[in-house]
Amino acid sequence: MPTFYIGKLLLPRENLRLLYFIFVFIFCSFSAQKALPLDSLKLKEAKDMFADDYGNLYIYKNKDFSFTKYDSLGRQIGKLMVTVPFKIQNVQNPLSVPLFSENAQEMKFVDQNFNEIQKVDFKQKFGFIKMAYAEDLQQLWLLDESTKRLIQYNFRNDTTINSYPFDASFDDLTDLLVYENKVYILTRKHIRVYTLKFEKIFEAEIQNGKRFRRENDVILVITNNSIIKYIPGKEMVKILEDPDAQIVDKNNLSYFEIKANNLYLYSLEKKKEIKQQTEPETKDKPVENSEEKSQDGSAEKSENFDMLKLFEEIGEVQKLGV
């Protein structure tokens, strides 16, 4: 029986055709996982993007203050239009999505079809609420800029539970999170962590900080093109970074990126953590392990080269009559 060499493999001739189709199937399947079916026109003016654990994607456009929901096939399944800018806290519970408007001084909750469940009006009860965080389905944390206080408020029974002096800067504030008696403040350039007594326990520089994401005990920071994990009291660790990305997000299964007006998905296992140093002498340095990057790049290039070489060798064998 004739045999042929492919790379370092010695195979019988009748197995070559089967091997060829196996590699074609693997190659095509791998390629198909990268791009998701969402029209680039829907992504062109996106200000932010969210992904829930059911495969639904949410696009917020600041141009017309619209919030649109799509299924995993790119079909629109809901759209919310408002007259003022608003901030989406998260879509981790798609049955109750919190939306805060600093302009309207209100927080509203919408269901999976974007029907309004409840609206909380802050104008009559508080001063000027700079930022609001929905802890659960009955409690809010409010940063009152006029009184410089952090307020724990039960909106179900209209009761103020606690009020803490909080004389921090409200400039450039982008998000607020309260968890386990710690207050997380995010601006475009910094993350700061305080106790409820206004004692600062951590601070680090952040570029283009947008919002927090909490996964159980893990606190993440979402920026324009990176996702960073907070190591309590110690440092920030980048778990995703792509300088070419316009918007990034994640759910419990995957990372999502909008890049060149196209939407891409990456599995969590594909990304490696890169430490971001937070000591003063290294704050301004780019966070990059060039040696590791070079090795990973070489490995990826070598793997792609071997795959192409294998296809070429199979093609040569086919010319012999396989």
Side-chain angles (χ1 to χ4, degrees), residues 227-264:
I227 299 176
I228 312 171
K229 182 168 69 174
Y230 170 61
I231 307 299
K234 295 182 179 179
E235 61 183 350
M236 304 296 293
V237 175
K238 286 187 179 178
I239 59 175
L240 174 72
E241 183 178 36
D242 187 345
D244 297 325
Q246 301 159 252
I247 302 173
V248 298
D249 194 40
K250 75 178 294 293
N251 59 17
N252 287 333
L253 301 174
S254 305
Y255 296 106
F256 297 80
E257 291 185 4
I258 294 179
K259 184 162 53 176
N261 294 325
N262 291 306
L263 179 63
Y264 296 89

Coordinates of all heavy atoms in Angstrom, one line a residue, residues 227-264:
I227 N -10.4 45.4 29.7 CA -11.1 45.0 30.9 C -10.1 44.7 32.0 O -9.2 43.9 31.7 CB -12.0 43.8 30.7 CG1 -13.1 44.1 29.6 CG2 -12.7 43.3 31.9 CD1 -13.9 43.0 29.2
I228 N -10.3 45.3 33.2 CA -9.2 45.2 34.2 C -9.8 44.7 35.5 O -10.9 45.1 35.9 CB -8.6 46.6 34.5 CG1 -8.2 47.2 33.1 CG2 -7.4 46.5 35.4 CD1 -7.8 48.7 33.3
K229 N -9.2 43.7 36.1 CA -9.6 43.1 37.4 C -9.0 43.7 38.6 O -7.7 43.9 38.6 CB -9.4 41.6 37.4 CG -9.9 40.9 38.6 CD -9.9 39.4 38.5 CE -8.5 38.8 38.4 NZ -8.5 37.3 38.4
Y230 N -9.8 44.1 39.6 CA -9.2 44.6 40.8 C -8.8 43.5 41.8 O -9.6 42.7 42.1 CB -10.3 45.5 41.5 CG -10.0 46.0 42.9 CD1 -8.8 46.8 43.1 CD2 -10.8 45.6 43.9 CE1 -8.6 47.2 44.4 CE2 -10.5 46.1 45.2 CZ -9.4 46.8 45.5 OH -9.1 47.3 46.7
I231 N -7.5 43.5 42.2 CA -7.0 42.6 43.2 C -7.1 43.4 44.5 O -6.3 44.4 44.7 CB -5.6 42.2 42.9 CG1 -5.5 41.6 41.5 CG2 -5.1 41.2 43.9 CD1 -6.3 40.4 41.2
P232 N -8.0 43.0 45.4 CA -8.3 43.9 46.6 C -7.1 44.4 47.3 O -6.2 43.7 47.8 CB -9.1 42.9 47.5 CG -9.8 42.0 46.5 CD -8.8 41.8 45.4
G233 N -7.0 45.7 47.3 CA -6.0 46.4 48.1 C -4.6 46.4 47.5 O -3.6 46.9 48.1
K234 N -4.4 45.7 46.3 CA -3.1 45.5 45.8 C -2.8 46.1 44.4 O -1.9 46.9 44.3 CB -2.8 44.0 45.8 CG -2.8 43.3 47.1 CD -2.5 41.8 47.0 CE -2.4 41.1 48.3 NZ -2.1 39.7 48.2
E235 N -3.5 45.7 43.4 CA -3.2 46.1 42.1 C -4.4 45.9 41.2 O -5.4 45.3 41.5 CB -2.0 45.3 41.6 CG -2.3 43.8 41.5 CD -1.1 43.0 41.1 OE1 -0.1 43.6 40.6 OE2 -1.1 41.7 41.2
M236 N -4.2 46.3 39.9 CA -5.1 46.0 38.8 C -4.5 45.1 37.8 O -3.3 45.3 37.5 CB -5.5 47.3 38.1 CG -6.1 48.4 39.1 SD -7.7 47.9 39.9 CE -8.8 47.9 38.4
V237 N -5.2 44.1 37.3 CA -4.7 43.2 36.4 C -5.5 43.2 35.1 O -6.8 43.0 35.2 CB -4.7 41.7 37.0 CG1 -4.2 40.7 35.9 CG2 -3.8 41.7 38.2
K238 N -4.9 43.5 34.0 CA -5.7 43.5 32.7 C -5.9 42.1 32.2 O -5.0 41.2 32.1 CB -4.8 44.2 31.6 CG -4.8 45.7 31.8 CD -4.2 46.4 30.7 CE -4.2 47.9 30.9 NZ -3.5 48.7 29.8
I239 N -7.2 41.8 32.0 CA -7.6 40.5 31.5 C -8.0 40.5 30.0 O -8.1 39.5 29.3 CB -8.7 39.8 32.3 CG1 -10.0 40.7 32.3 CG2 -8.2 39.6 33.7 CD1 -11.1 40.1 33.0
L240 N -8.1 41.7 29.5 CA -8.4 41.9 28.0 C -7.9 43.3 27.7 O -8.1 44.3 28.4 CB -9.8 41.8 27.7 CG -10.2 42.1 26.3 CD1 -9.8 41.0 25.3 CD2 -11.7 42.3 26.1
E241 N -7.1 43.4 26.5 CA -6.7 44.7 26.0 C -6.6 44.6 24.5 O -5.9 43.6 24.0 CB -5.4 45.1 26.6 CG -5.0 46.5 26.2 CD -3.7 47.0 26.8 OE1 -2.8 46.1 27.1 OE2 -3.6 48.2 27.1
D242 N -7.2 45.5 23.8 CA -7.0 45.6 22.4 C -7.0 47.1 22.0 O -8.1 47.7 22.0 CB -8.2 44.8 21.7 CG -8.0 44.8 20.1 OD1 -7.1 45.5 19.6 OD2 -8.6 44.0 19.5
P243 N -5.9 47.6 21.6 CA -5.8 49.1 21.3 C -6.7 49.5 20.1 O -7.0 50.6 20.0 CB -4.3 49.3 21.0 CG -3.6 48.1 21.7 CD -4.5 47.0 21.6
D244 N -7.0 48.5 19.3 CA -7.8 48.8 18.1 C -9.3 48.7 18.3 O -10.1 49.1 17.4 CB -7.4 47.8 16.9 CG -6.0 48.0 16.5 OD1 -5.5 49.1 16.5 OD2 -5.4 46.9 16.1
A245 N -9.7 48.3 19.5 CA -11.1 48.1 19.8 C -11.8 49.5 20.1 O -11.1 50.3 20.7 CB -11.3 47.1 20.9
Q246 N -13.0 49.6 19.6 CA -13.8 50.8 20.0 C -14.5 50.6 21.3 O -14.6 51.6 22.1 CB -14.8 51.1 18.8 CG -14.2 51.3 17.5 CD -15.2 51.0 16.4 OE1 -15.2 50.1 15.7 NE2 -16.2 51.9 16.2
I247 N -15.0 49.5 21.5 CA -15.8 49.1 22.7 C -15.5 47.7 23.1 O -15.4 46.8 22.2 CB -17.3 49.3 22.4 CG1 -17.7 50.8 22.0 CG2 -18.1 49.0 23.7 CD1 -19.1 51.0 21.6
V248 N -15.5 47.4 24.3 CA -15.3 46.0 24.8 C -16.3 45.7 25.9 O -16.8 46.6 26.6 CB -13.9 45.7 25.3 CG1 -12.9 45.9 24.2 CG2 -13.5 46.6 26.5
D249 N -16.7 44.5 26.1 CA -17.5 44.0 27.2 C -17.3 42.5 27.4 O -16.6 41.9 26.6 CB -19.0 44.4 26.9 CG -19.9 44.2 28.2 OD1 -19.4 44.6 29.2 OD2 -21.0 43.7 28.1
K250 N -18.0 42.0 28.4 CA -17.9 40.5 28.6 C -19.2 40.1 29.3 O -19.9 40.9 29.9 CB -16.7 40.1 29.4 CG -16.8 40.4 30.9 CD -15.5 40.0 31.7 CE -15.3 38.5 31.7 NZ -16.4 37.8 32.5
N251 N -19.5 38.8 29.1 CA -20.4 38.1 30.0 C -19.7 37.0 30.7 O -18.5 37.0 30.8 CB -21.7 37.7 29.2 CG -21.3 36.7 28.1 OD1 -20.2 36.1 28.0 ND2 -22.2 36.5 27.1
N252 N -20.4 36.0 31.2 CA -19.8 35.0 32.0 C -19.1 33.9 31.1 O -18.4 33.0 31.6 CB -20.8 34.3 32.9 CG -21.2 35.1 34.1 OD1 -20.4 36.0 34.5 ND2 -22.4 35.0 34.6
L253 N -19.3 34.0 29.8 CA -18.7 33.0 28.9 C -17.7 33.6 27.9 O -16.7 32.9 27.5 CB -19.8 32.4 28.1 CG -20.9 31.7 28.9 CD1 -22.0 31.2 27.9 CD2 -20.4 30.5 29.6
S254 N -17.8 34.8 27.5 CA -17.0 35.4 26.4 C -16.7 36.8 26.6 O -17.3 37.5 27.4 CB -17.7 35.2 25.1 OG -18.1 33.8 24.9
Y255 N -15.7 37.3 25.8 CA -15.4 38.7 25.7 C -16.0 39.1 24.3 O -16.0 38.4 23.4 CB -13.9 38.9 25.6 CG -13.1 38.6 26.9 CD1 -12.3 37.5 27.0 CD2 -13.3 39.5 28.0 CE1 -11.7 37.2 28.2 CE2 -12.6 39.2 29.2 CZ -11.8 38.1 29.3 OH -11.1 37.8 30.5
F256 N -16.4 40.4 24.3 CA -16.9 41.0 23.1 C -16.2 42.2 22.7 O -15.8 43.0 23.6 CB -18.4 41.3 23.2 CG -19.3 40.1 23.5 CD1 -19.4 39.5 24.7 CD2 -20.0 39.5 22.4 CE1 -20.1 38.4 25.0 CE2 -20.8 38.4 22.7 CZ -20.8 37.8 24.0
E257 N -15.9 42.5 21.4 CA -15.3 43.7 21.0 C -16.0 44.2 19.7 O -16.4 43.5 18.9 CB -13.8 43.4 20.6 CG -12.9 43.1 21.7 CD -11.4 42.9 21.2 OE1 -11.2 43.2 20.0 OE2 -10.6 42.6 22.0
I258 N -16.1 45.6 19.7 CA -16.5 46.2 18.5 C -15.2 46.8 17.9 O -14.5 47.7 18.6 CB -17.5 47.3 18.7 CG1 -18.9 46.7 19.1 CG2 -17.7 48.1 17.4 CD1 -20.0 47.7 19.3
K259 N -14.8 46.4 16.7 CA -13.6 46.9 16.1 C -13.8 47.1 14.6 O -14.3 46.2 13.9 CB -12.5 45.8 16.3 CG -11.1 46.2 15.8 CD -10.0 45.3 16.4 CE -10.2 43.8 16.3 NZ -9.1 43.1 16.8
A260 N -13.5 48.3 14.2 CA -13.7 48.7 12.8 C -15.2 48.4 12.4 O -15.5 47.9 11.3 CB -12.8 47.9 11.8
N261 N -16.1 48.8 13.3 CA -17.5 48.6 13.2 C -18.0 47.2 12.9 O -19.0 46.9 12.4 CB -18.0 49.5 12.0 CG -17.9 51.0 12.3 OD1 -18.0 51.4 13.5 ND2 -17.5 51.8 11.3
N262 N -17.2 46.2 13.4 CA -17.5 44.8 13.4 C -17.5 44.3 14.8 O -16.7 44.7 15.6 CB -16.6 44.0 12.5 CG -16.8 44.3 11.0 OD1 -17.9 44.3 10.5 ND2 -15.7 44.7 10.3
L263 N -18.3 43.3 15.0 CA -18.4 42.7 16.4 C -17.7 41.4 16.4 O -17.9 40.5 15.5 CB -19.9 42.5 16.8 CG -20.2 41.9 18.1 CD1 -19.6 42.8 19.2 CD2 -21.7 41.7 18.3
Y264 N -16.8 41.2 17.4 CA -16.1 39.9 17.5 C -16.3 39.3 18.9 O -16.5 40.1 19.9 CB -14.6 40.2 17.3 CG -14.2 40.7 15.9 CD1 -14.3 42.1 15.6 CD2 -14.0 39.8 14.9 CE1 -14.0 42.5 14.3 CE2 -13.7 40.3 13.6 CZ -13.7 41.6 13.3 OH -13.4 42.1 12.1

